[in-house]
Amino acid sequence: MDRKRRTMDGSGIRQALSMMNERGSGEGAGYVAYGVYPDYRDCYALHVFFDNVRENKDVVDATLEQWGTIEHDEAIPTYDQPNLRAVHTPWRYFFKPDPSLAPASTSPEDDIVSALVMRVNTARRGALIFSSGKNVGVFKAGGWPEEVADFYRIEDYEGYTWLAHNRYPTNTPGWWGGAHPFNLLGWSVVHNGEITSYGTNRRYIESLGYTCTMYTDTEVVAYLIDLLVRRHGLDLDLAVRALAPPFWEEIDRMPEAEREWNRALRLTYAPAMMNGPFAIVAADADTMVGFTDRSKLRPMVVGECADRLYISSEEAAIRAMEPKVESITMPAAGEPVIGRVAP
Amino acid sequence: MAKQVAIDGKGVHYTPLNQQIRKAVADGADEIVISNILGQRFIGDGLRGNVTIQLYGVPGGDLAMFMSGPTIIVHGNAEHAPGNTMDAGKVVIHGNAGDAVAHSMRGGKVFVRGDIGYRGGIHMKQYEDHYPILVVGGTAQAYLGESLAGGLLLVLGLNGPVQAREIGSGIHGGEIIIRGDVDDACLATGATKVPLTEEDRMRIAPVIREFADDFGLDPEPLTGAKYTRIVPASARPFVGKYTWE
Amino acid sequence: MTIGSLPSRYRISIDPVRCMECERCIENCPYGVFRRDGDRILVNSRNCTACHRCIACCPRDAISLEEHPCDYRSHPIWTREAREAIYNQARTGRIILAGMGNALDYPVIFDRLVLDACQVTNPSLDPLREPIELRTHIGKKLAKLDLRRRENGDIELRTALTPNLRVETPIMIGHMSYGAISLNAQMAMARAAKETGTFMGTGEGGLHSALYPYQDRMIVQVASGRFGVNIDYLERGAAIEIKIGQGAKPGIGGHLPGEKVCEEVSRTRMIPLGSDAISPAPHHDIYSIEDLAQLVRALKEATEWKKPVFVKIAAVHNVAAIAAGIARSPADAVVIDGFRGGTGAAPRVFRDHVGIPIEAAVASVDKKLRDQGIRNEVSVIASGGIRGSADVAKTIALGADAVYIGTAALVAMGCRVCGNCYRGLCPWGIATQRPDLVQRLNPDAASEQVANLIRAWTLELAELLGAAGINSIESLRGNRDRLRGYMLDESLMQVLDVRQVGA
Ligand code: SF4
Ligand code: SF4
């Protein structure tokens, strides 16, 4: 992330991610960049995987037009790679929802778009919306990081915050939808590890109107952050604390006022708490946050260099991107590292 | 000198109202006068002490529930189940009351000047010096004294004869005494009529006097009137229903 | 003779070579199975209930017991039980009462569910190495939290939590009333609850003064009979539970026969000595769901909103919708008692045929509450046939917050599940009020045994959680992904929302 919103093209992060090929299996990788669509900054950029453009696109067009205006849409430019079999056609829409269609809502546009995402993805009619925020785009596919980067020519995109992920899938190998980052509206998430509380988290988030459609544990993180931050208005660090709370032993030792709100947080968000090994980096247009599980079972390294904040599984990846990095730290378990861009 | 506290109940939710009552009792009030009561439930719920509470208006259900000691005088009608599971104390209602009056009451008195609804005195029970008494000035509806396990249920029928059906269904203790005759067809199975003995009459006379006194009635015609006494046919209605495996 | 005598249920025999005629069996058997005749011990097997007291006290292992020594002609439909019930009712014309839980041979769903463990993709946790948190809070929770950051950076909690019970392990002891069981048995369990940081229920028999020292570990019950209920009782409990129904006999009331109402029981229940205590089938101040909400409020108002209030219902067909109704009242927890729940006495036809298994009930209640978006706002306590820590883990994975154990706690005190509690002669001093029998149960030793049981299950739970890579019980709650069905049919797996083994 660049805190001054100075953009970086995708070549740096491509380079960084390829440093960690040992962690992947060549079956999925992806990137997300904030600030990539300045010309359509007021539109929701919907990235869609079509199984078949001819068969499946009409339905999505019709649904979107029912709820707002499509300002522009096009195929996302891709470039054939020898080892990457293009099983989907990536498409993008720049969409403006009609707020008068959700009069009861305090954030009608967000609500319409998130409902549309859930609807299209649950319908499973050969279309999957995998990116839905403003001025942000997810680019992912099955393959090694470099192949996916080259497939999208990631160096052609300019963003001030980038997340990238290299996957070693156990659940849904090869499925493009299963690759990270996961995105809903503003929030994107990459995740290393396995969430053992997934069943609890998913049932909780689904009971509050979200629908999990990606067959993988990471998407609940995006929804949980959306719930806690956007819908419940919690500060990001408090939201992270709800997801990876302190142990009761620690809470018991806190001074009273602190103990009370920590207890309240754990009780209220017990089903949101995430268990198992994980390191997660999430971002929205203004923020980037990295945190690990409360037992610190996955690695996380933080680097800083002037206005730039880097979070990675390995220091090497940070140094590959920024050889002059000024500080390297390892945050404590459950402790969020938060970067914010200047307003 | 008796300490009196006045509370305006207009639009006050029952929880703050009960808090005010508790506070007044804690501060040593002897009498609390609450005006503009309309529908607040649970007034005096779980309250202890010797205070007298005058309620003006119509309180909601479960008046004096779990109460243990105080006296509540209602200048108006009451809803369902005043005196519910009450332990001690007294509730005096200058109007009518709803269903299940004195439900499961173990001690204390509930006096209703007017009529009561269905299932009056249901499952009242007694224990040692806890002896619940429900007196109804008017009439009562069906299932009067259902499952009665103890105490005294007295209906004076001042507004005409009592014609409730299924009186004393499941009664296995206590007594139901009704002024005038009661048709056998009004009795539930398990309940039986027995003559009111002189001793019984002596027993209920002070209760009638207290009732008459509370409502400014002349007790004499009542104490000497004819009464029907209804008691359990068996103290163990369930014996004979079961066999062991 | 039209029906004649039926075959004896048990046969007791004494090995004369081993027997040393110490007469312990004679002293210990309250049913009069044994008597001495010269230098021999004679037996009358017909009196035997298979309580095993004699076997446990015989110093020479001289006694053996055989069930059904004489067979009927075998028949898959006309079982021994079916035939004997008919003989009984043909003779008496009465309802058959029976003790302990459901005795029909329904498949046990617990035994067709298997738990998960980690391999490779995430590390299993060793409870000795990593904290595994089993602490559970029973009570109302908020839907969302209003936390604000003050100017100075402090966090301000702007929505107050209502009182919750803090339980150190999700295993609680359910309601068994004084009267149904002895004071020594209640004492033992109350001490065990205190020692292990959990809670126990009083049942509907009031709270004996000997239990006052443990009152902050007791959940006081308010049942339809309102026995022992007054403001003092309500204020003593850590929480209050409204009992609507019971898994062993849904839809009917209860009845403690006068024989069991001894002086102490009479004082505790506040009913006359020797009188029958009859609990009506419904609460007569609850004829609809709004009335239930009103009783919940009445109890809260009486105790100034300081006590959590639970509502216990039997698991019946429509349990999910009923539980959802309860959840929308101010009630803090819904207790669901499955059709295997124990009892001192219940009509056999109810015990064996009414209600549904707890596994399915918990799953459907959890789902219904989630569908309504309120699952985390109310606690769910499950009971009825929990036999071990695996059952606890499975119940929680199906969606419960905690469990109540009943029979298991009695077994920990020596109960042999003989099913004769209703006779009031329990040779183990548990389901009896006869002083000489009651004093057989040593509350110190028994409390240690119950505490040991809870500790052992708690350890096992921590191990199971650790193996599944979960370090806090709330991440197991409703986590049905960590269960698989083994030989369960498709439709039941849908209800349970679990996949089959291998899937
Ligand atoms: S207890 Fe055992 S050894 Fe003693 S008399 Fe009985 S059978 Fe014989
Ligand atoms: S408590 Fe006693 S009577 Fe009841 S089943 Fe257990 S051993 Fe038998």
Side-chain angles (χ1 to χ4, degrees):
Chain A
M1 154 182 282
D2 187 295
R3 295 189 176 104
K4 293 267 167 63
R5 287 188 199 267
R6 278 188 300 259
T7 58
M8 306 161 252
D9 75 38
S11 58
I13 198 152
R14 174 186 183 278
Q15 172 71 15
L17 193 57
S18 71
M19 294 299 296
M20 296 185 287
N21 273 350
E22 290 279 331
R23 291 186 179 269
S25 65
E27 287 169 289
Y31 304 82
V32 62
Y34 286 83
V36 281
Y37 298 128
D39 298 344
Y40 292 101
R41 66 176 71 227
D42 296 331
C43 294
Y44 289 83
L46 306 180
H47 285 194
V48 187
F49 286 139
F50 284 119
D51 289 358
N52 182 320
V53 176
R54 273 176 194 282
E55 266 180 33
N56 313 125
K57 186 167 177 297
D58 289 351
V59 186
V60 175
D61 287 355
T63 316
L64 291 180
E65 271 155 8
Q66 224 181 334
W67 288 91
T69 329
I70 300 169
E71 296 282 324
H72 177 67
D73 77 295
E74 63 189 7
I76 300 177
T78 55
Y79 308 87
D80 285 352
Q81 299 299 311
N83 292 320
L84 195 154
R85 206 169 61 83
V87 292
H88 303 289
T89 309
W91 205 272
R92 61 189 163 211
Y93 291 85
F94 296 99
F95 174 69
K96 271 205 176 136
D98 178 353
S100 69
L101 296 177
S105 167
T106 48
S107 51
E109 300 198 333
D110 281 354
D111 286 353
I112 290 173
V113 173
S114 85
L116 281 174
V117 172
M118 301 298 160
R119 175 158 349 152
V120 169
N121 292 355
T122 2
R124 305 199 176 289
R125 306 266 289 275
L128 185 86
I129 303 179
F130 61 97
S131 181
S132 53
K134 287 178 179 171
N135 202 9
V136 58
V138 171
F139 305 92
K140 61 185 182 183
W144 289 101
E146 299 93 325
E147 292 165 355
V148 174
D150 296 344
F151 177 67
Y152 287 107
R153 281 222 184 124
I154 205 74
E155 63 269 26
D156 291 351
Y157 293 94
E158 291 273 343
Y160 57 88
T161 298
W162 281 87
L163 306 182
H165 184 264
N166 176 15
R167 186 163 186 241
Y168 192 144
T170 49
N171 251 334
T172 50
W175 187 51
W176 287 23
H180 304 205
F182 285 92
N183 165 282
L184 179 69
L185 303 174
W187 283 102
S188 307
V189 179
V190 292
H191 158 222
N192 170 11
E194 183 171 309
I195 300 172
T196 54
S197 56
Y198 171 65
T200 302
N201 304 142
R202 174 170 67 82
R203 285 177 179 80
Y204 173 62
I205 203 78
E206 290 196 333
S207 81
L208 299 172
Y210 297 81
T211 315
C212 294
T213 52
M214 314 277 187
Y215 304 110
T216 179
D217 48 7
T218 309
E219 75 172 320
V220 298
V221 184
Y223 304 159
L224 286 170
I225 293 179
D226 182 69
L227 173 79
L228 298 180
V229 175
R230 182 173 68 87
R231 281 173 49 183
H232 289 185
L234 290 184
D235 281 359
L236 186 58
D237 60 329
L238 295 176
V240 168
R241 190 168 270 258
L243 302 181
F247 286 94
W248 283 118
E249 255 176 36
E250 302 166 57
I251 295 176
D252 290 346
R253 283 197 300 268
M254 292 173 180
E256 195 189 326
E258 193 184 352
R259 188 172 63 228
E260 264 318 291
W261 70 256
N262 273 282
R263 182 170 161 268
L265 195 68
R266 258 196 94 160
L267 260 56
T268 310
Y269 295 112
M273 162 179 180
M274 297 194 309
N275 229 296
F278 60 79
I280 285 169
V281 182
D284 75 349
D286 310 313
T287 336
M288 178 163 85
V289 57
F291 59 102
T292 57
D293 62 86
R294 57 200 198 128
S295 294
K296 189 72 179 6
L297 298 170
R298 300 308 304 144
M300 178 173 279
V301 182
V302 176
E304 286 193 75
C305 183
D307 291 330
R308 298 215 167 147
L309 172 68
Y310 302 87
I311 305 175
S312 170
S313 293
E314 293 184 20
E315 181 177 338
I318 298 176
R319 292 201 182 271
M321 217 174 154
E322 182 60 76
K324 297 196 292 287
V325 65
E326 287 154 7
S327 88
I328 291 279
T329 50
M330 284 192 220
E335 199 63 48
V337 174
I338 299 178
R340 295 182 204 278
V341 292
Chain B
M1 206 191 86
K3 185 175 166 186
Q4 212 197 49
V5 174
I7 297 172
D8 184 357
K10 195 175 174 86
V12 184
H13 182 265
Y14 54 78
T15 302
L17 183 63
N18 273 326
Q19 280 164 355
Q20 289 181 55
I21 295 173
R22 282 174 203 274
K23 183 169 181 305
V25 172
D27 292 347
D30 300 296
E31 190 178 41
I32 304 172
V33 180
I34 309 177
S35 52
N36 295 318
I37 283 298
L38 187 62
Q40 287 94 336
R41 297 170 180 202
F42 314 131
I43 296 176
D45 189 0
L47 193 68
R48 296 185 175 93
N50 292 315
V51 69
T52 298
I53 301 173
Q54 305 275 356
L55 292 181
Y56 290 88
V58 177
D62 290 332
L63 173 74
M65 192 165 184
F66 305 119
M67 192 172 79
S68 185
T71 298
I72 297 184
I73 300 167
V74 183
H75 302 273
N77 294 331
E79 305 267 1
H80 54 271
N84 192 352
T85 323
M86 189 168 102
D87 219 34
K90 186 172 175 185
V91 178
V92 179
I93 298 164
H94 283 263
N96 301 325
D99 294 340
V101 173
H103 169 250
S104 234
M105 178 163 72
R106 187 186 299 108
K109 297 173 186 140
V110 174
F111 288 179
V112 183
R113 172 64 185 83
D115 302 332
I116 63 167
Y118 288 71
R119 297 189 165 79
I122 187 168
H123 210 202
M124 290 194 333
K125 51 182 75 75
Q126 70 190 63
Y127 168 66
E128 290 184 351
D129 55 346
H130 287 69
Y131 181 74
I133 299 175
L134 167 61
V135 185
V136 180
T139 187
Q141 299 293 342
Y143 298 100
L144 179 70
E146 181 175 343
S147 297
L148 194 71
L152 167 65
L153 208 167
L154 180 60
V155 185
L156 299 177
L158 297 171
N159 308 336
V162 174
Q163 286 170 329
R165 290 176 305 107
E166 298 292 337
I167 295 173
S169 65
I171 181 173
H172 54 287
E175 55 186 339
I176 304 169
I177 298 178
I178 297 173
R179 192 167 69 103
D181 277 326
V182 175
D183 189 341
D184 280 337
C186 293
L187 256 56
T189 39
T192 188
K193 286 198 286 198
V194 293
L196 187 87
T197 63
E198 235 1 81
E199 215 176 293
D200 295 332
R201 192 178 289 283
M202 303 274 286
R203 232 167 7 92
I204 63 171
V207 178
I208 295 174
R209 291 216 172 79
E210 183 180 338
F211 183 88
D213 192 45
D214 282 342
F215 295 110
L217 304 170
D218 176 7
E220 292 324 314
L222 293 174
T223 47
K226 177 175 174 4
Y227 285 92
T228 308
R229 183 164 177 258
I230 298 164
V231 295
S234 153
R236 316 200 59 181
F238 290 96
V239 175
K241 195 171 155 191
Y242 297 113
T243 174
W244 299 110
E245 189 176 32
Chain C
M1 183 169 80
T2 47
I3 293 174
S5 127
L6 303 182
S8 160
R9 204 151 163 207
Y10 308 103
R11 180 192 290 145
I12 291 278
S13 25
I14 294 180
D15 178 347
V17 181
R18 289 176 160 262
C19 175
M20 60 187 255
E21 291 125 47
C22 70
E23 299 194 357
R24 289 202 182 109
C25 50
I26 302 178
E27 285 156 31
N28 270 278
C29 180
Y31 300 108
V33 170
F34 304 90
R35 92 191 119 88
R36 194 184 180 98
D37 181 31
D39 58 357
R40 284 193 322 152
I41 306 289
L42 297 186
V43 295
N44 176 3
S45 290
R46 280 206 178 265
N47 287 352
C48 178
T49 64
C51 75
H52 274 211
R53 182 76 190 182
C54 57
I55 291 173
C57 69
C58 174
R60 287 288 178 88
D61 274 345
I63 304 172
S64 54
L65 188 158
E66 203 185 336
E67 190 169 13
H68 301 324
C70 170
D71 285 333
Y72 288 76
R73 177 216 157 195
S74 62
H75 191 283
I77 302 302
W78 295 100
T79 58
R80 168 187 293 264
E81 289 73 24
R83 274 175 271 190
E84 291 187 348
I86 292 175
Y87 298 136
N88 186 341
Q89 295 187 303
R91 279 193 182 118
T92 62
R94 292 178 178 184
I95 295 171
I96 299 178
L97 280 186
M100 296 313 278
N102 197 318
L104 277 199
D105 189 20
Y106 296 103
V108 180
I109 300 175
F110 281 134
D111 296 343
R112 296 183 178 208
L113 286 170
V114 288
L115 290 157
D116 194 18
C118 299
Q119 300 289 296
V120 183
T121 56
N122 55 54
S124 24
L125 308 165
D126 173 357
L128 290 178
R129 171 172 71 84
E130 298 264 350
I132 305 279
E133 300 184 307
L134 296 176
R135 188 185 292 180
T136 299
H137 289 82
I138 305 291
K140 261 298 192 253
K141 313 287 189 300
L142 300 163
K144 61 187 256 191
L145 212 55
D146 193 0
L147 279 182
R148 296 288 168 82
R149 189 165 256 118
R150 291 212 191 90
E151 293 283 281
N152 64 4
D154 284 359
I155 311 281
E156 183 193 359
L157 177 62
R158 316 229 303 191
T159 27
L161 287 189
T162 52
N164 268 249
L165 288 192
R166 172 175 145 187
V167 200
E168 297 303 340
T169 174
I171 304 161
M172 301 158 80
I173 303 173
H175 290 258
M176 291 169 276
S177 71
Y178 176 45
I181 62 170
S182 66
L183 188 58
N184 280 2
Q186 273 205 337
M187 279 274 260
M189 292 190 290
R191 275 186 212 168
K194 189 169 181 132
E195 221 158 278
T196 53
T198 186
F199 294 83
M200 81 168 257
T202 58
E204 67 162 315
L207 184 68
H208 190 278
S209 55
L211 291 164
Y212 290 172
Y214 311 99
Q215 62 188 28
D216 54 353
R217 290 282 150 193
M218 310 278 302
I219 299 159
V220 296
Q221 195 175 60
V222 174
S224 62
R226 303 287 155 89
F227 298 116
V229 178
N230 61 15
I231 183 64
D232 187 56
Y233 170 78
L234 298 177
E235 282 179 349
R236 283 183 190 279
I240 301 167
E241 179 167 314
I242 300 171
K243 175 193 170 184
I244 300 292
Q246 173 180 353
K249 39 181 165 178
I252 59 174
H255 165 215
L256 185 73
E259 294 79 22
K260 291 198 180 177
V261 184
C262 63
E263 193 165 329
E264 291 293 300
V265 170
S266 119
R267 182 171 314 147
T268 311
R269 294 203 174 205
M270 301 185 216
I271 51 171
L273 190 71
S275 70
D276 284 9
I278 296 166
S279 299
H283 288 248
H284 285 295
D285 48 3
I286 305 178
Y287 290 158
S288 81
I289 189 81
E290 77 203 59
D291 293 352
L292 172 75
Q294 173 153 348
L295 181 57
V296 172
R297 289 194 195 100
L299 291 165
K300 288 195 173 246
E301 186 71 22
T303 51
E304 301 180 64
W305 299 81
K306 287 177 192 152
K307 313 269 179 192
V309 173
F310 306 169
V311 179
K312 173 179 172 177
I313 51 172
V316 289
H317 301 184
N318 203 19
V319 62
I322 301 162
I326 294 169
R328 270 184 266 109
S329 81
D332 293 83
V334 188
V335 182
I336 306 160
D337 195 20
F339 82 156
R340 286 180 201 284
T343 179
R348 202 176 93 136
V349 64
F350 280 80
R351 185 196 68 176
D352 291 351
H353 298 281
V354 182
I356 65 170
I358 190 61
E359 302 92 323
V362 165
S364 61
V365 166
D366 177 65
K367 176 168 191 310
K368 177 70 91 186
L369 294 175
R370 274 189 284 111
D371 288 349
Q372 303 190 2
I374 53 174
R375 170 61 188 91
N376 192 51
E377 291 170 46
V378 68
S379 298
V380 174
I381 302 171
S383 61
I386 308 278
R387 304 154 300 171
S389 60
D391 291 352
V392 179
K394 291 169 188 177
T395 309
I396 293 174
L398 286 169
D401 289 78
V403 302
Y404 269 160
I405 58 170
T407 306
L410 300 188
V411 173
M413 294 191 287
C415 161
R416 296 299 203 260
V417 198
C418 73
N420 282 267
C421 315
Y422 54 80
R423 292 175 61 179
L425 291 174
C426 175
W428 297 91
I430 299 168
T432 179
Q433 304 303 330
R434 216 173 83 179
D436 62 314
L437 296 176
V438 173
Q439 60 91 19
R440 287 183 184 182
L441 187 74
N442 174 343
D444 294 329
S447 81
E448 200 43 41
Q449 285 156 220
V450 176
N452 275 342
L453 179 77
I454 294 173
R455 283 189 208 111
W457 286 16
T458 303
L459 284 175
E460 288 181 341
L461 259 184
E463 296 275 351
L464 288 171
L465 246 64
I470 291 175
N471 63 17
S472 186
I473 192 80
E474 53 259 56
S475 294
L476 181 68
R477 189 185 314 138
N479 198 344
R480 307 184 196 185
D481 300 41
R482 310 310 297 275
L483 289 172
R484 288 291 186 274
Y486 183 43
M487 311 273 279
L488 283 173
D489 65 63
E490 183 67 38
S491 52
L492 188 49
M493 285 199 301
Q494 261 175 29
V495 169
L496 300 175
D497 187 18
V498 296
R499 280 180 279 161
Q500 63 175 327
V501 287

